[in-house]
Amino acid sequence: MADQEMTDADKIRMKRLAKLGAIPSNSAPSTSTSPPEQSKPSSPPVSQSNAAPVPANLTAAAKSESPRPQIKISPRPSSPPKRERDGSEKPRVASAAKPSESLELWQDRMLRQVFRVTLKLEEVRDTHGHALVLLASTRDDLEQVGSPLLLDVEVVESAISEAASHAPKGQPFEYLLTCFKRISRAIRSTKYTGPEDPRHNVLAETRRLCMSYCIFAVTMPDMFGDNVPSGNVLVNHMLNDPESDSGICFDFLTEVSSRMDEDDSIKEEVVRAVEELSRQLSTKSMLGEERMYVNALRNFLRFPKIVEAITESPTFLPDNIAAQDIETASLLGPFFRLSPMQQEVASNYFSAPKTRDRGFIANAQDAIRLTLRTYQLDLFQIANTIIRAGAAPRERLLNWFALCVNKNHKKRAMRVDHKIVSSDGFMVNVTNTLDQLCDPFMDASFGKIERIDVDYLRRSPRVDITEETKINMDQKGSDEFYASKADGTSNFISELFFLTVAAHHYGTEAAQTRMGNLQKETKHLEKNLAGFEAERHKYASDPRYLTRFEAELAKMKKMIDDNWSTIHATNGVLLDDLNQARSMQFMRYVIVWLLRLASGRELPKSKLELPLPAQQSEVFKALPEYFLEDIVDNFKFITQNIPHILTPQQCEEIVQICITFLRNSEYVKNPGVKHGLVSILFYGIQPFGHYSRGVLGDILIGSPFAQKYLLRALMKFYIEAESTGSHTQFYDKFNIRYEIFQVIKCIWANTLYRENLRKEASVDTDFFVRFVNMIINDVTFCLDESFSRFVKIHDVSKEIAEWPVLASMDEAETERRKQREELLEENKRSAKSYMGLARESMETTILFTSTLPEAFTMPEIVQRLADMLDYNLDSLVGSKRKNLRVDNPAEYGFNPKQLLSDFMAVYVNLSERQTFITAIARDGRSYKPENFTEAPRLAAGLKSPEDLATFASLASAIAIVAEADAQEEDDLGEIPEEFQDPLMATLMSDPVILPTSKNVIDRSTIKSYLLSDSKDPFNRQELKIEDVIDDTVMKARIDAWKVERRETVRREKEEGKMDVSEG
């Protein structure tokens, strides 16, 4: 009875499905009274004996949710008759009648074209030459029920199942995918008569069924035969062009996305496919293969539901993953891993790097920049798509970025083990993507800067700063500060801002540091290679050792080549104008945000004033030190390498932050960071192109902010640099002071700075005296070191010249010669370095003494200045000058005549100061009148007649004072020990008592001493000049003794005259 109520199509379908092994062929639908549309099986069932049961949710995917509409064919309406101009109807032109195609024939033709199948035994190819699949079972079923051999929507499901089971190459998914794409094109290209055209319903139903079987081919590939693919069948098709027949197209993904809610297996397979895509990419490099992988991922990420599913994958944010594994084991890692900085890519672009000229290297760097820009734009679009897909995917992506920075703290260690951290290329890509994500809120007017939450780090932030050094707070204070949690939640802008600052620290800035270290390492390797090659003769006689020698030599050469390839590639990446400009735009926000925090002002709306508040903001003090360190590293790199990309506004802001934290150096704990601020100014004034003063010189000269605060800031850090606290502080201070001298010379062209200097000296005399004292110390030390090195250079050079010929020396003698040569080179380097700083110190002394002679002749420093000048004048023109003779003095920057001219300039600048004249006359160690006669003769041609005349007048004035002092010394005779200064052994004129040791010393002596040491010289207790006690009793005794001695001498002279007259 049930068979009689079934339609012919139902009978055919049931028989076809029975052959596939899903249900017995004699079974009937469970409800015989249901409509035919409801009684048909909606998915190809699977045999219970040899296949897994089909889940109900997959079967439902192919089931029609509503009864199909009755198919009706309406005649096409005739067009209105055409008329003549007078309105009469034009006679119709008879045309050959074109026979219309029935719906049944149209269905058959369309379905055969879409699925490339046939019911005819003799038909092997279609009119386009495509191979056709013979639907033998479907043909048998139609013949059994007596139906025409035509395909229609009623039998298309069994046709799809049979065709897929006999798919070309045994790949049912690829076959079904191409069919889906053809049916989708047919839907778009068919011209319908109206919304009720039955052809639309036929094509839509066919497309739905085709999509269902595509899903079955992915989720249950075994239902189409025993040839089951080993991996996910989607992956290879994801890599194809979406517009190709075998590529995953937009229409396909739209259908997948729409069915994911009702079928979890679809989501699982999509996620598996993306995971496999990521795994495959983890073995690739940026040599042209990456494009199809990125396009595949972007293709899938266009659908929010797919984005949601992918970000829920365990591989998206793996637990307990090591830093070095993030770029290979996390889902996004392989995409961010690709970079020209990878060794394989770098060696490809820069093969045989030492043989390449600059043009070749520059062209290759341009090529990798263009390639990387395009790729980094793709990475940004991937990240941006995930962020815009919804709140949950956005949070997971931010967590992934946080994972990248938090796991890579060791990238900024003193000695980085690159095997346990992420690669530089990976972290640079992460940093660049975050920079681009920040673009929307980094407007030029800083309109959204208030959205950056100052309490972000106190709300369980994603960024881990627990072990980070803070700007101006110790670990205990930091722990206590962050233990007090802030209320509220952090906004997206704050999340991005703090993540990006951290990414710069561990990404771009770390890569810059490594590049510098790699260059030093490579130069050291090249030096070792040269020495190693010189050993070849030792192994030439033994082929066994020579082979090993050659292998080791080749290994060293390859290592050097690899290093240079990486250096060139890294330079190409880091010197990208576009990316560095974007990075600087972000750093502008960091600068303004920090200045707002430190000053308490609403910058940039209000004006920045210095000094900063005495009470420092706790939030500022507890910030990670890398907030300032990133700014320093970034702009130091820019000003040193590509200064032309800096805009005037950026220059103004970087000058502001440099001056602010040098002027208020107590706000920053790390001297290295403050040195970096000086370095930015130093590199910013270096000439390049048509900028004779660099990119910052004109701003430093013309900026009212710089005119008001810069000079004091530089002088303050010049003094602080005496002790940086590092193990290299002795050398650091000279580097710092050299850079400061260069900046001072640059700004000295503006007379406003001289006026400001004069005001500073009059308002804060002690500060200025400390500064001058440091300059005197540096000149004294550097010249003394340089001159002593010249003596050593002369002696060692003479010793080496007298050595026998190298070929006649034994091994021990050769080693001794090598040691002496190394000593010679060391002395040459030191002499050059010290002489350079000495010249800079002298130039600064000349500038300052010409403007402020009174400041250099204060009692605390005038004697030390005079002693230093006299000692070096004697070295240059006295009998000891023969010791300064070295071969090629220009190699060390040593020009004796010019140096003598500089010393004479200082003498001339101070020639009118009586205290200076007196101090020279009282220099018992180095003052020699003949030196003041010899100096003008040696400096002839370098000094003007006016200067020579002034110098001669000074010499005469000094001689007069020296004669008077000698006479007074004779008059006073032997000075009682209790009246002598315990350090200088001279008669005290203003004795004071030191508060802790109770020693009596002259005021000028202890003031001069405290300029270099803050402790009592007798018991090493802390001492300030304002704590000393005037010893009025001692002063009165000294004055009385002097009066008594003079009176005694006067009487003796008078008595002597009387004796002579009487005689």
Side-chain angles (χ1 to χ4, degrees):
M1 184 68 178
D3 288 341
Q4 294 177 0
E5 295 181 2
M6 294 176 63
T7 64
D8 292 342
D10 287 331
K11 292 176 183 178
I12 293 172
R13 184 179 296 106
M14 294 302 289
K15 288 179 180 180
R16 173 60 188 144
L17 296 179
K19 290 178 181 179
L20 289 175
I23 57 176
S25 60
N26 60 354
S27 63
S30 59
T31 307
S32 61
T33 57
S34 61
E37 289 78 4
Q38 298 288 336
S39 64
K40 296 181 301 183
S42 59
S43 62
V46 183
S47 171
Q48 296 177 2
S49 61
N50 55 17
V54 181
N57 60 345
L58 289 182
T59 306
K63 186 179 294 183
S64 177
E65 298 296 332
S66 59
R68 299 185 182 88
Q70 185 70 28
I71 298 176
K72 298 179 180 179
I73 300 178
S74 302
R76 182 177 180 181
S78 59
S79 59
K82 295 183 180 179
R83 298 184 177 276
E84 299 287 358
R85 290 187 179 183
D86 59 1
S88 61
E89 184 176 332
K90 269 188 177 183
R92 292 183 181 270
V93 179
S95 60
K98 187 177 180 180
S100 60
E101 187 178 32
S102 67
L103 178 62
E104 289 75 14
L105 292 176
W106 176 85
Q107 281 189 90
D108 177 65
R109 177 175 59 81
M110 185 58 67
L111 295 176
R112 283 189 290 106
Q113 289 176 356
V114 166
F115 295 104
R116 290 181 181 170
V117 295
T118 182
L119 296 173
K120 300 176 182 180
L121 298 175
E122 69 281 4
E123 194 172 20
V124 179
R125 295 184 179 277
D126 63 11
T127 56
H128 299 286
H130 300 125
L132 301 178
V133 176
L134 176 63
L135 302 179
S137 295
T138 304
R139 174 189 172 91
D140 292 344
D141 294 338
L142 288 172
E143 288 177 342
Q144 287 180 18
V145 297
S147 297
L149 295 181
L150 297 175
L151 294 178
D152 60 23
V153 75
E154 300 296 334
V155 298
V156 71
E157 187 172 350
S158 61
I160 294 173
S161 178
E162 182 178 1
S165 299
H166 298 86
K169 304 176 186 178
Q171 296 179 351
F173 175 74
E174 181 174 336
Y175 167 74
L176 292 168
L177 176 62
T178 57
C179 293
F180 176 84
K181 300 185 83 164
R182 285 194 290 271
I183 190 65
S184 298
R185 288 195 293 267
I187 290 175
R188 290 191 294 269
S189 62
T190 300
K191 297 180 179 179
Y192 305 105
T193 58
E196 300 299 325
D197 191 332
R199 293 180 299 174
H200 184 279
N201 295 328
V202 170
L203 294 176
E205 177 62 11
T206 303
R207 186 175 185 266
R208 184 186 69 80
L209 289 171
C210 187
M211 184 64 197
S212 297
Y213 277 83
C214 284
I215 292 172
F216 294 158
V218 173
T219 59
M220 296 186 304
D222 55 347
M223 72 178 290
F224 295 101
D226 296 332
N227 187 20
V228 178
S230 58
N232 188 289
V233 297
L234 282 174
V235 177
N236 292 335
H237 298 282
M238 292 170 66
L239 297 176
N240 294 335
D241 184 353
E243 299 304 318
S244 69
D245 285 344
S246 58
I248 304 294
C249 62
F250 181 82
D251 290 337
F252 183 85
L253 290 175
T254 302
E255 283 291 324
V256 168
S257 176
S258 67
R259 299 190 186 203
M260 286 178 66
D261 288 338
E262 61 189 48
D263 191 345
D264 288 340
S265 65
I266 301 175
K267 180 169 73 173
E268 293 171 3
E269 291 301 324
V270 168
V271 172
R272 280 183 56 209
V274 176
E275 290 173 348
E276 178 60 26
L277 191 77
S278 176
R279 278 191 290 272
Q280 289 185 16
L281 184 60
S282 66
T283 64
K284 308 293 182 183
S285 62
M286 186 179 273
L287 291 175
E289 298 178 285
E290 77 284 352
R291 173 57 47 197
M292 55 186 178
Y293 287 89
V294 173
N295 288 343
L297 182 62
R298 289 187 58 193
N299 197 26
F300 271 56
L301 293 181
R302 290 190 290 179
F303 301 89
K305 289 182 181 179
I306 297 179
V307 174
E308 178 84 23
I310 290 172
T311 56
E312 288 175 351
S313 166
T315 64
F316 189 84
L317 202 64
D319 295 328
N320 302 319
I321 189 171
Q324 67 271 22
D325 296 328
I326 297 175
E327 56 190 280
T328 54
S330 70
L331 194 144
L332 289 180
F335 293 91
F336 282 80
R337 166 181 165 271
L338 298 182
S339 169
M341 297 161 69
Q342 292 173 289
Q343 187 62 64
E344 179 184 357
V345 184
S347 298
N348 182 272
Y349 275 97
F350 303 97
S351 58
K354 296 194 70 176
T355 65
R356 304 297 187 179
D357 58 27
R358 290 185 178 181
F360 176 90
I361 293 172
N363 289 336
Q365 288 176 334
D366 286 340
I368 65 173
R369 275 194 282 269
L370 292 174
T371 302
L372 187 61
R373 281 181 191 174
T374 303
Y375 188 72
Q376 287 178 337
L377 180 59
D378 287 331
L379 293 179
F380 160 69
Q381 289 170 340
I382 287 171
N384 195 43
T385 302
I386 294 174
I387 285 173
R388 294 179 179 277
R394 181 180 66 210
E395 293 297 303
R396 296 183 194 113
L397 181 64
L398 292 177
N399 286 337
W400 183 79
F401 281 129
L403 175 74
C404 295
V405 297
N406 292 336
K407 289 286 186 177
N408 278 290
H409 285 198
K410 292 183 179 179
K411 283 186 74 68
R412 299 314 301 267
M414 291 294 294
R415 295 182 179 273
V416 182
D417 182 355
H418 295 285
K419 295 179 180 178
I420 62 171
V421 294
S422 298
S423 67
D424 289 330
F426 172 80
M427 290 303 296
V428 166
N429 286 339
V430 168
T431 307
N432 180 272
T433 300
L434 285 168
D435 275 342
Q436 293 190 67
L437 289 173
C438 290
D439 273 346
F441 67 82
M442 291 193 298
D443 58 302
S445 62
F446 297 92
K448 297 183 180 179
I449 198 167
E450 295 179 357
R451 300 278 306 278
I452 301 173
D453 193 347
V454 297
D455 290 324
Y456 170 81
L457 294 174
R458 295 172 59 206
R459 288 201 193 97
S460 301
R462 285 184 168 86
V463 181
D464 181 12
I465 62 166
T466 308
E467 298 180 1
E468 290 292 344
T469 304
K470 307 307 185 291
I471 288 180
N472 202 20
M473 189 178 284
D474 59 25
Q475 189 63 43
K476 181 181 177 182
S478 170
D479 292 342
E480 292 174 355
F481 177 77
Y482 286 113
S484 174
K485 298 297 181 182
D487 297 329
T489 57
S490 299
N491 57 59
F492 180 63
I493 288 179
S494 297
E495 294 277 12
L496 269 184
F497 178 79
F498 283 89
L499 275 172
T500 308
V501 174
H504 271 272
H505 186 59
Y506 301 113
T508 307
E509 318 311 333
Q512 292 169 3
T513 301
R514 190 191 177 194
M515 184 183 67
N517 293 337
L518 192 59
Q519 287 174 326
K520 294 177 183 177
E521 176 189 327
T522 305
K523 290 179 180 178
H524 181 69
L525 283 173
E526 289 177 334
K527 185 177 179 181
N528 290 345
L529 176 65
F532 189 68
E533 285 184 312
E535 304 284 327
R536 182 188 298 274
H537 65 279
K538 295 181 180 180
Y539 310 100
S541 59
D542 191 330
R544 295 172 302 169
Y545 290 110
L546 183 60
T547 301
R548 293 174 60 183
F549 174 84
E550 294 291 353
E552 191 64 27
L553 188 66
K555 182 179 177 182
M556 291 178 69
K557 288 182 176 180
K558 183 180 185 305
M559 184 181 297
I560 291 172
D561 280 352
D562 286 348
N563 282 1
W564 278 118
S565 296
T566 302
I567 290 168
H568 292 325
T570 304
N571 265 323
V573 172
L574 295 180
L575 297 179
D576 187 318
D577 294 5
L578 180 63
N579 286 337
Q580 286 291 2
R582 182 181 292 113
S583 176
M584 285 187 297
Q585 177 67 11
F586 175 77
M587 285 301 163
R588 287 186 65 203
Y589 253 67
V590 180
I591 289 172
V592 174
W593 188 77
L594 283 178
L595 291 177
R596 285 166 62 96
L597 201 57
S599 66
R601 294 175 175 269
E602 294 296 318
L603 304 177
K605 297 177 183 176
S606 60
K607 188 178 179 181
L608 179 63
E609 296 288 343
L610 298 182
L612 296 174
Q615 184 65 36
Q616 298 181 29
S617 162
E618 291 296 304
V619 176
F620 177 85
K621 291 169 62 178
L623 281 175
E625 189 176 79
Y626 61 65
F627 268 76
L628 265 176
E629 196 174 355
D630 284 358
I631 295 171
V632 168
D633 289 345
N634 185 264
F635 280 91
K636 189 163 67 172
F637 183 82
I638 297 300
T639 53
Q640 189 174 1
N641 294 284
I642 44 176
H644 60 276
I645 69 173
L646 284 167
T647 65
Q649 187 58 41
Q650 289 169 342
C651 291
E652 289 277 2
E653 288 156 359
I654 196 61
V655 163
Q656 275 197 349
I657 197 167
C658 288
I659 294 174
T660 297
F661 291 115
L662 288 173
R663 174 67 177 80
N664 295 88
S665 56
E666 66 277 6
Y667 266 64
V668 183
K669 185 169 55 176
N670 187 349
V673 173
K674 291 180 276 192
H675 180 195
L677 297 173
V678 173
S679 296
I680 291 174
L681 300 178
F682 168 71
Y683 288 119
I685 63 171
Q686 300 306 306
F688 82 96
H690 61 281
Y691 294 94
S692 60
R693 297 191 183 101
V695 290
L696 298 183
D698 290 338
I699 291 176
L700 294 177
I701 291 173
S703 165
F705 184 84
Q707 292 166 2
K708 190 173 182 181
Y709 302 116
L710 174 59
L711 198 54
R712 169 87 183 202
L714 293 174
M715 292 164 61
K716 183 178 182 182
F717 191 55
Y718 185 99
I719 296 170
E720 290 180 9
E722 184 68 21
S723 177
T724 62
S726 70
H727 66 285
T728 58
Q729 67 176 14
F730 179 78
Y731 302 100
D732 291 342
K733 72 175 183 179
F734 292 120
N735 292 330
I736 292 168
R737 288 170 177 174
Y738 174 82
E739 292 176 358
I740 288 175
F741 286 146
Q742 303 308 307
V743 178
I744 289 175
K745 286 196 296 183
C746 175
I747 64 177
W748 205 249
N750 188 339
T751 56
L752 281 175
Y753 278 107
R754 304 177 198 180
E755 294 300 321
N756 290 340
L757 180 64
R758 186 173 283 106
K759 292 176 183 177
E760 288 281 356
S762 62
V763 171
D764 194 347
T765 304
D766 289 342
F767 170 81
F768 192 78
V769 165
R770 288 201 306 275
F771 173 69
V772 172
N773 181 68
M774 293 297 178
I775 294 179
I776 295 172
N777 287 346
D778 287 347
V779 173
T780 303
F781 176 82
C782 291
L783 283 176
D784 189 53
E785 283 293 314
S786 296
F787 292 166
S788 65
R789 302 284 175 167
F790 289 154
V791 175
K792 291 179 182 178
I793 290 170
H794 179 270
D795 294 343
V796 176
S797 297
K798 184 178 179 182
E799 180 183 354
I800 292 174
E802 294 173 354
W803 226 294
V805 179
L806 191 62
S808 63
M809 296 166 57
D810 59 23
E811 188 170 345
E813 195 73 8
T814 302
E815 183 62 27
R816 282 196 295 274
R817 175 176 178 136
K818 182 179 179 181
Q819 291 176 357
R820 303 305 287 174
E821 288 174 344
E822 290 176 352
L823 177 63
L824 177 62
E825 290 302 316
E826 179 188 350
N827 280 300
K828 285 182 176 181
R829 287 193 299 270
S830 297
K832 182 177 181 180
S833 176
Y834 287 127
M835 182 53 65
L837 185 63
R839 289 198 316 272
E840 297 301 328
S841 300
M842 283 303 301
E843 286 186 38
T844 304
T845 304
I846 293 169
L847 293 178
F848 282 13
T849 53
S850 65
T851 303
L852 288 172
E854 64 275 11
F856 282 78
T857 53
M858 294 179 182
E860 300 93 318
I861 57 174
V862 67
Q863 192 61 56
R864 293 190 67 246
L865 176 62
D867 293 348
M868 181 271 290
L869 293 171
D870 292 343
Y871 176 81
N872 287 292
L873 183 67
D874 186 47
S875 298
L876 291 169
V877 305
S879 59
K880 295 185 293 184
R881 72 174 185 259
K882 63 179 181 296
N883 296 330
L884 303 181
R885 293 175 182 172
V886 291
D887 295 334
N888 192 19
E891 178 183 352
Y892 318 106
F894 178 44
N895 185 337
K897 288 191 174 182
Q898 183 59 52
L899 190 60
L900 173 61
S901 175
D902 290 344
F903 275 100
M904 291 178 67
V906 177
Y907 278 111
V908 169
N909 289 342
L910 303 177
S911 59
E912 296 182 0
R913 308 299 299 182
Q914 188 59 44
T915 53
F916 178 65
I917 295 171
T918 302
I920 294 175
R922 292 177 179 174
D923 177 12
R925 184 182 69 162
S926 301
Y927 168 64
K928 298 174 183 177
E930 60 269 25
N931 288 343
F932 284 81
T933 302
E934 183 69 6
R937 186 184 70 81
L938 294 176
L942 293 177
K943 308 301 294 184
S944 66
E946 294 80 6
D947 286 345
L948 292 175
T950 303
F951 190 81
S953 299
L954 173 64
S956 300
I958 295 170
I960 293 171
V961 172
E963 183 179 355
D965 281 352
Q967 182 62 53
E968 184 177 6
E969 186 176 347
D970 290 342
D971 291 347
L972 292 177
E974 185 176 351
I975 302 171
E977 186 174 349
E978 61 179 324
F979 294 163
Q980 290 182 21
D981 184 283
L983 295 184
M984 304 300 294
T986 55
L987 179 65
M988 292 186 289
S989 60
D990 187 7
V992 294
I993 302 172
L994 304 184
T996 57
S997 65
K998 303 302 180 183
N999 286 77
V1000 178
I1001 192 170
D1002 196 77
R1003 186 186 301 275
S1004 63
T1005 301
I1006 192 62
K1007 287 183 75 174
S1008 177
Y1009 178 86
L1010 290 177
L1011 292 174
S1012 303
D1013 193 336
S1014 62
K1015 293 181 172 58
D1016 186 315
F1018 302 102
N1019 63 6
R1020 306 306 297 160
Q1021 298 296 311
E1022 287 292 331
L1023 176 64
K1024 295 181 179 178
I1025 190 63
E1026 53 265 28
D1027 295 335
V1028 301
I1029 304 166
D1030 292 340
D1031 193 343
T1032 55
V1033 175
M1034 178 62 74
K1035 180 174 175 53
R1037 291 179 61 196
I1038 292 172
D1039 290 343
W1041 176 80
K1042 289 168 66 177
V1043 170
E1044 180 184 348
R1045 285 296 304 157
R1046 285 172 181 146
E1047 182 62 25
T1048 300
V1049 170
R1050 185 185 63 78
R1051 287 199 305 268
E1052 290 175 351
K1053 287 182 177 180
E1054 289 179 352
E1055 290 174 358
K1057 289 179 180 180
M1058 291 175 63
D1059 291 342
V1060 171
S1061 62
E1062 290 176 357

